[in-house]
Amino acid sequence: MLTEAETAFLHANGYLNLGQLLTPTEVNRINERIAELQRLEGDRAGAELVDSKYIRHPKEEGADRLADLVNKGPVFDVCYTHPKVLAGIEAVLGADFKLSSLNYRAAKPGKGHQKLHVDYKNAVAEDAFKVCNSIWLLDEFTERNGATRIVPGTHRSKDLPEAVMRDAEDRHPDEILIVAPVGSVVIFNSHVWHGGTTNHTDRDRRSIHSYFCTKDQPQQIDQQRYITPETRERIGARGRAILDV
């Protein structure tokens, strides 16, 4: 599902914009369900993140979170089953991968900045890449609304941001912003240096992250523990394989 040029770009830079994989109708349905879940869960929103020992920062000041979207409606199934996304994940991790978590993050106005970081035990991989992420844009990502920043090529660095930079909160001279229209999906090798930026608008900047890992790694959300009978039946054999349940 990836062209040779796309695969080469992903390997060289550590990220790839797959284009607008969601239709406007799909985006609207997802955002409607997100709003409904926020009303239903209230202060409990994102509780599954707190319950996981594999998420370093389950609560983030200045960002709304929801977790375990696998079990919160078929509208989210596309976020971990889309063939082009899975092709991109396989290009990074190889064929033996599984979904680690499917979560929602919205940078609040005036908030959302993160230090540059990687997502593998706070260290780079030595022999093979272990984690890969995809961002599903539920709003347009712009230079002002908290778009994700990435330092291309750093997935092959032997150093972590804090070992090279005076302050990993600062802007890196080589960083780029993921600027793309709503409905776009961007995958990135999670060993690349990356982080959120400040939302300078008066509206939330919404996205879903479908985060994958190799089969030998623990899932951020234990899919076997959380899977519901309805979800197990709905997603079929391919979905169950991706969830490793």
Side-chain angles (χ1 to χ4, degrees):
M1 293 289 293
L2 296 187
T3 67
E4 290 185 8
E6 287 175 325
T7 302
F9 186 94
L10 175 59
H11 286 325
N13 294 282
Y15 76 98
L16 177 66
N17 186 341
L18 298 178
Q20 289 175 280
L21 301 186
L22 294 175
T23 67
T25 297
E26 288 175 313
V27 171
N28 288 338
R29 288 175 178 168
I30 290 173
N31 280 332
E32 287 171 359
R33 179 57 176 157
I34 289 291
E36 182 181 26
L37 288 170
Q38 289 177 314
R39 291 192 299 270
L40 290 172
E41 298 188 13
D43 293 339
R44 296 181 294 105
E48 299 91 343
L49 301 174
V50 178
D51 195 40
S52 172
K53 63 181 179 180
Y54 297 110
I55 298 178
R56 293 195 300 271
H57 305 292
K59 289 291 187 180
E60 180 184 359
E61 182 183 0
D64 284 341
R65 303 293 292 271
L66 289 168
D68 188 34
L69 297 181
V70 166
N71 294 298
K72 295 180 180 177
V75 71
F76 301 116
D77 290 352
V78 65
C79 297
Y80 64 96
T81 62
H82 195 288
K84 188 158 190 177
V85 171
L86 296 181
I89 301 300
E90 183 171 347
V92 174
L93 300 181
D96 281 340
F97 65 84
K98 60 189 175 183
L99 184 75
S100 182
S101 59
L102 184 64
N103 304 323
Y104 167 81
R105 179 181 184 268
K108 306 296 290 181
K111 304 288 185 179
H113 184 78
Q114 298 172 323
K115 71 175 185 178
L116 287 170
H117 62 280
V118 300
D119 290 337
Y120 179 65
K121 299 178 181 178
N122 205 33
V124 295
E126 294 180 357
D127 300 319
F129 299 122
K130 298 294 186 180
V131 283
C132 190
N133 213 338
S134 64
I135 312 175
W136 297 71
L137 279 58
L138 303 180
D139 291 299
E140 179 184 11
F141 274 31
T142 73
E143 294 180 353
R144 298 192 66 250
N145 72 351
T148 302
R149 57 180 177 148
I150 284 175
V151 184
T154 49
H155 57 302
R156 300 196 179 278
S157 173
K158 295 184 181 298
D159 294 311
L160 292 170
E162 53 265 36
V164 176
M165 301 176 65
R166 179 177 299 176
D167 187 348
E169 300 273 357
D170 292 344
R171 185 184 184 282
H172 190 281
D174 298 326
E175 76 180 37
I176 58 96
L177 287 178
I178 300 299
V179 174
V182 61
S184 300
V185 180
V186 177
I187 62 173
F188 65 91
N189 183 324
S190 294
H191 300 271
V192 80
W193 300 0
H194 65 278
T197 61
T198 302
N199 180 358
H200 294 289
T201 73
D202 59 0
R203 298 179 59 187
D204 291 356
R205 195 276 294 143
R206 300 168 292 182
S207 64
I208 286 175
H209 292 234
S210 49
Y211 178 66
F212 296 82
C213 62
T214 53
K215 284 288 185 70
D216 63 334
Q217 296 299 304
Q219 294 164 313
Q220 287 187 330
I221 298 294
D222 185 346
Q223 306 297 336
Q224 183 67 51
R225 173 185 172 189
Y226 281 96
I227 192 77
T228 66
E230 188 277 331
T231 299
R232 185 185 292 272
E233 180 178 358
R234 181 186 74 241
I235 62 178
R238 178 56 175 151
R240 292 191 292 270
I242 296 168
L243 296 179
D244 198 30
V245 297

